[in-house]
Amino acid sequence: RLVSSRQRCPQASGLESIAPLVSTAEETPHPITTTIKGTIPTWINGSFLRNGPGKFEFGEDRYTHWFDGMAMMHRFHICEGNVTYSSRFLRSDSYVLNSERNRIVVSEFGTLAMPDPCKNIFARFFSRFTIPKATDNAGVNFVKYKGDYYVSTETNYMRRVDPQSLETKEKVDWSQYVAVNAATAHPHYDRDGATYNMGNSYGTSGFFYNIIRVPPPEENAAKEDSEDLNGAQVICSIQASESRKPSYFHSFVMSENYIVFVEQPIKLDLLKFMLYRIAGKSFHKVMTWDPTYETIFHLVNRHTGKKSEVKYCAAPMFTLHQINAFEDSGFLVMDMCCGDDGEVIADYTLENLRRDTGEEMDKVNFYNSMCRNLPRRYVLPLSVDEETPLDQNLVTLPNYKATAKKTNPGEVYMTHEELHDDELLQYGGLEFPQINYDQYNGRPYRYFYACGFGHVFGDSLLKMDVHTKELKVWRYPGFFPSEPVFVASPRATEEDDGVVLSVIITPREEKSTFLLVLDAKTFTELGRAEVPVNIPYGTHGVFNGMG
């Protein structure tokens, strides 16, 4: 058996406590100035928007899991070399109800709201049998539909937000527009302004993974201050290989002409899901890693919605985030962050994250048991038919090491190419990949940016050259950077002409957060904007350019 991605990375000991990075923060609703060190290029004009958990208790009640924390939105507004900072909690129904009652009354991913102590015993007993409403605590990402910003998580609810004031607008329910029960927080955008996403649906005919398309904003339509997902439609429904055990997914692959859904061996037990409420168990217990299943790649034509008859498979692996995908001479090249072990998500409990010292962390060794994710490239042959010979490598292009073999009629088995050298292993693998999305998504590209994971949270910034597999690194002890976001310079001629933005936090000092601006080419610091606030470790972000 192959050595897993985790076994290949060095074990760690004596890791510093990151408890301060998962502590409740205070909001800064009105923009405050920051202290600039070095220089922030004057051409950067817009807002770096970030999302993530920011409040971990109400009254005496505490959340169990990091994902459960109430969504907190952050805005670094950059203009003419100056930067201001503001933040607000998302006023979700979850946040408002919990605040009013000063206890946790809405169930989240890993925390079950207990029945109201004021109800009598019968009412309490029966409340266990009602399926809880999904949460609208949208703490994963900022996304865009028809020109409007929304914050998103992985349920059927999003919240429209004002990207300037961070004000919470209306709650949007996907299921009112298209037949899905939930949608991801990682949509893709095409060059016409349409947005693509994926969601689930289940009914008597089984469990389906649905590809959704939201059209671009209408030309010269009067812009109303309200949600608009009109015209959203499911362009393809993919039946789950096993209806009672569908796969968890966090994102999907998109190139100029194709969408690929990766059905991975992280399984949701639907029966457990229905029973979890009665047993008083929380959601994160219903996902299991089951490597007896292969990974299946479902290939769909993005323009027609037609699914390929060919079943493309690979060894069991797990992926959260895609890097990029592009077509090359009859092949679809797909780059993504992968691990060989999906036992990861349930471990991000606040108890694990708040262990005090290195020794206590070593004792439990949460970090060393975590999956390590490494960048991999799969190459999928687009034209496979009866004539295609069996058992020979179909990837005939000279610059790819990945393989694809037709093993049976209508079946292709793929092996990946490692998109890195051994040097990456010392940084603990990587996650939160980003590219020059506007110009290069779905097209041949050369660079991506990511966080290295030498700790439970990212502790370095990396730039990878996928042609040479060379790394550039920004890493300093005690600093924990956020997902790096690329912003192209106005007259860019090359892919990496621009800057990379990341919010750096540290558990070593109170209120010493800064926005870091790196030259994307050299990966060296141009400047930083220091802000005297505590920001908890977050998830994803976007740059909202002002043109």
Side-chain angles (χ1 to χ4, degrees):
R1 171 151 164 68
L2 292 168
V3 183
S4 78
S5 53
R6 181 180 69 219
Q7 292 160 326
R8 293 179 57 196
C9 293
Q11 299 279 292
S13 62
L15 292 173
E16 70 183 288
S17 168
I18 50 167
L21 309 187
V22 286
S23 304
T24 293
E26 286 170 24
E27 56 182 4
T28 309
H30 303 295
I32 57 173
T33 56
T34 61
T35 306
I36 307 292
K37 302 271 167 78
T39 38
I40 310 286
T42 50
W43 58 259
I44 308 175
N45 183 16
S47 299
F48 185 29
L49 303 171
R50 297 231 351 115
N51 200 346
K55 183 171 171 62
F56 300 96
E57 62 286 305
F58 284 93
E60 298 297 299
D61 293 357
R62 289 178 171 24
Y63 287 115
T64 309
H65 199 282
W66 175 53
F67 293 170
D68 298 341
M70 294 288 99
M72 190 175 200
M73 302 175 284
H74 308 269
R75 175 178 184 252
F76 286 88
H77 184 63
I78 311 167
C79 184
E80 296 184 348
N82 290 310
V83 181
T84 61
Y85 169 78
S86 54
S87 64
R88 278 193 174 186
F89 285 113
L90 179 70
R91 297 309 195 262
S92 59
D93 292 355
S94 304
Y95 179 91
V96 170
L97 278 168
N98 293 337
S99 298
E100 282 169 0
R101 311 244 174 114
N102 200 30
R103 65 186 197 87
I104 295 172
V105 289
V106 181
S107 294
E108 301 292 339
F109 172 75
T111 306
L112 201 71
M114 292 323 287
D116 191 329
C118 306
K119 284 183 176 169
N120 69 35
I121 188 159
F122 288 108
R124 282 218 304 262
F125 179 76
F126 283 110
S127 76
R128 289 232 161 180
F129 289 87
T130 56
I131 294 287
K133 281 197 162 57
T135 179
D136 65 336
N137 175 35
V140 180
N141 207 351
F142 276 87
V143 297
K144 222 172 169 179
Y145 295 95
K146 292 192 168 189
D148 279 338
Y149 276 97
Y150 296 80
V151 283
S152 173
T153 175
E154 303 202 304
T155 68
N156 56 313
Y157 293 121
M158 297 188 296
R159 278 278 179 172
R160 199 165 68 89
V161 292
D162 181 325
Q164 312 300 323
S165 66
L166 301 182
E167 185 193 343
T168 303
K169 306 274 196 173
E170 67 273 32
K171 177 161 93 168
V172 182
D173 180 353
W174 271 109
S175 62
Q176 301 299 305
Y177 289 91
V178 280
V180 295
N181 306 76
T184 82
H186 289 290
H188 273 294
Y189 309 98
D190 71 14
R191 293 193 166 69
D192 302 323
T195 306
Y196 294 78
N197 206 339
M198 287 200 63
N200 300 328
S201 63
Y202 43 93
T204 45
S205 51
F207 189 103
F208 293 88
Y209 312 108
N210 299 315
I211 301 173
I212 309 158
R213 179 182 185 270
V214 179
E218 288 87 22
E219 297 274 319
N220 14 333
K223 188 78 194 93
E224 287 178 25
D225 187 24
S226 63
E227 68 183 81
D228 177 13
L229 295 181
N230 293 314
Q233 62 186 121
V234 170
I235 60 170
C236 180
S237 279
I238 299 163
Q239 185 147 19
S241 310
E242 194 181 331
S243 260
R244 305 236 333 238
K245 289 204 170 167
S247 292
Y248 169 76
F249 60 97
H250 189 79
S251 64
F252 59 97
V253 178
M254 189 168 101
S255 70
E256 294 208 297
N257 296 296
Y258 296 95
I259 283 175
V260 175
F261 170 65
V262 183
E263 193 172 15
Q264 58 187 0
I266 293 189
K267 295 295 182 179
L268 296 167
D269 189 326
L270 286 191
L271 206 58
K272 260 196 200 157
F273 186 71
M274 299 305 177
L275 296 172
Y276 92 98
R277 175 70 174 177
I278 301 166
K281 284 199 171 79
S282 58
F283 280 124
H284 69 293
K285 302 276 199 297
V286 303
M287 296 200 315
T288 48
W289 166 247
D290 187 347
T292 58
Y293 290 90
E294 290 185 309
T295 306
I296 303 171
F297 296 80
H298 299 272
L299 175 69
V300 176
N301 182 306
R302 179 159 82 82
H303 310 295
T304 64
K306 189 168 158 20
K307 182 178 163 338
S308 165
E309 299 293 307
V310 181
K311 180 179 171 183
Y312 296 93
C313 303
M317 62 87 167
F318 124 98
T319 178
L320 286 174
H321 298 115
Q322 308 306 313
I323 303 170
N324 199 4
F326 58 91
E327 294 145 50
D328 183 357
S329 320
F331 295 89
L332 177 60
V333 181
M334 302 178 289
D335 297 346
M336 57 193 83
C337 294
C338 304
D340 297 312
D341 171 7
E343 306 272 6
V344 56
I345 296 171
D347 292 335
Y348 271 79
T349 60
L350 291 163
E351 181 191 16
N352 273 342
L353 296 173
R354 284 181 179 152
R355 297 196 185 281
D356 277 349
T357 58
E359 281 130 51
E360 200 184 334
M361 281 198 140
D362 289 349
K363 201 165 66 214
V364 177
N365 230 330
F366 162 43
Y367 172 75
N368 287 338
S369 67
M370 271 170 57
C371 183
R372 297 284 180 276
N373 288 0
L374 299 169
R376 289 180 181 168
R377 170 167 283 179
Y378 291 90
V379 180
L380 181 152
L382 290 166
S383 46
V384 174
D385 54 26
E386 296 83 71
E387 310 295 300
T388 306
L390 285 170
D391 294 325
Q392 68 181 52
N393 183 13
L394 304 174
V395 183
T396 47
L397 300 176
N399 39 349
Y400 300 114
K401 295 191 183 72
T403 70
K405 287 180 181 172
K406 184 171 149 186
T407 47
N408 287 302
E411 275 194 32
V412 171
Y413 189 84
M414 304 193 295
T415 69
H416 64 267
E417 171 182 349
E418 294 188 336
L419 212 51
H420 62 90
D421 285 337
D422 284 353
E423 187 194 355
L424 174 63
L425 303 177
Q426 74 194 45
Y427 297 104
L430 57 81
E431 254 301 336
F432 294 150
Q434 286 282 336
I435 60 169
N436 176 344
Y437 190 96
D438 293 348
Q439 295 301 318
Y440 288 86
N441 189 58
R443 295 176 173 171
Y445 76 114
R446 182 159 183 179
Y447 304 107
F448 71 85
Y449 311 92
C451 289
F453 274 76
H455 202 314
V456 174
F457 287 148
D459 67 344
S460 63
L461 290 169
L462 307 172
K463 176 188 182 181
M464 176 69 81
D465 179 332
V466 298
H467 291 183
T468 65
K469 299 182 184 173
E470 280 175 285
L471 274 183
K472 286 188 163 65
V473 183
W474 186 94
R475 185 189 204 183
Y476 293 93
F479 285 141
F480 292 81
S482 73
E483 169 189 70
V485 168
F486 175 83
V487 183
S489 63
R491 283 176 289 284
T493 53
E494 291 177 298
E495 182 184 340
D496 57 354
D497 272 356
V499 295
V500 167
L501 306 178
S502 175
V503 177
I504 313 294
I505 56 178
T506 177
R508 298 186 180 186
E509 268 181 84
E510 272 288 288
K511 301 191 171 175
S512 15
T513 297
F514 59 93
L515 171 69
L516 174 70
V517 182
L518 295 177
D519 178 321
K521 248 191 185 4
T522 60
F523 222 54
T524 52
E525 179 173 343
L526 293 169
R528 58 177 69 181
E530 298 173 345
V531 59
V533 295
N534 290 330
I535 297 185
Y537 192 77
T539 44
H540 298 287
V542 295
F543 182 74
N544 177 27
M546 294 304 171

